[in-house]
Amino acid sequence: MPTFDVVARFLAEYSRLSPAERAAFDRARRLFVQALREGRKDPRLRAKPFRKKPGVWELTWAPDGRALWMYGDPVPGRRGPHIIWLRIGTHDIFDR
């Protein structure tokens, strides 16, 4: 099972999303977790390396909804990758 952490900035940005945006991200997150469990990528999420910052990935959760994340060190005693959520919002997160 994948493990996850979030940084404070992600939590602040998530709290500013509308309820509909939060629901859209939560649906995408469930797809993401399922794909991680199965060891595959879900093409609907368009997860790809973020070109401006090595080691960071971007994930699409809505037409103008993006989340940035990175792989962290595996959690001892837990199977699966460890994901650290960094940013969430619109395309604007790429420039801020």
Side-chain angles (χ1 to χ4, degrees):
M1 173 75 133
T3 56
F4 301 89
D5 276 321
V6 295
V7 300
R9 188 174 193 175
F10 180 93
L11 290 174
E13 291 169 340
Y14 182 84
S15 73
R16 289 191 293 268
L17 296 177
S18 71
E21 290 169 326
R22 281 189 220 134
F25 173 73
D26 291 343
R27 280 189 300 274
R29 184 181 43 78
R30 285 190 294 276
L31 292 173
F32 182 60
V33 169
Q34 181 180 354
L36 286 172
R37 280 187 194 143
E38 297 171 3
R40 62 176 178 81
K41 288 186 179 180
D42 188 320
R44 294 172 288 186
L45 302 175
R46 297 190 349 235
K48 60 185 179 184
F50 182 53
R51 60 182 171 83
K52 291 184 179 181
K53 204 165 211 184
V56 174
W57 292 69
E58 67 178 89
L59 177 136
T60 300
W61 52 269
D64 192 26
R66 300 293 183 273
L68 297 178
W69 56 277
M70 63 187 291
Y71 288 104
D73 293 330
V75 174
R78 301 288 301 269
R79 293 178 20 177
H82 183 68
I83 303 298
I84 303 168
W85 294 105
L86 304 170
R87 304 284 314 270
I88 189 167
T90 66
H91 282 96
D92 291 346
I93 65 171
F94 295 158
D95 297 322
R96 292 185 277 138

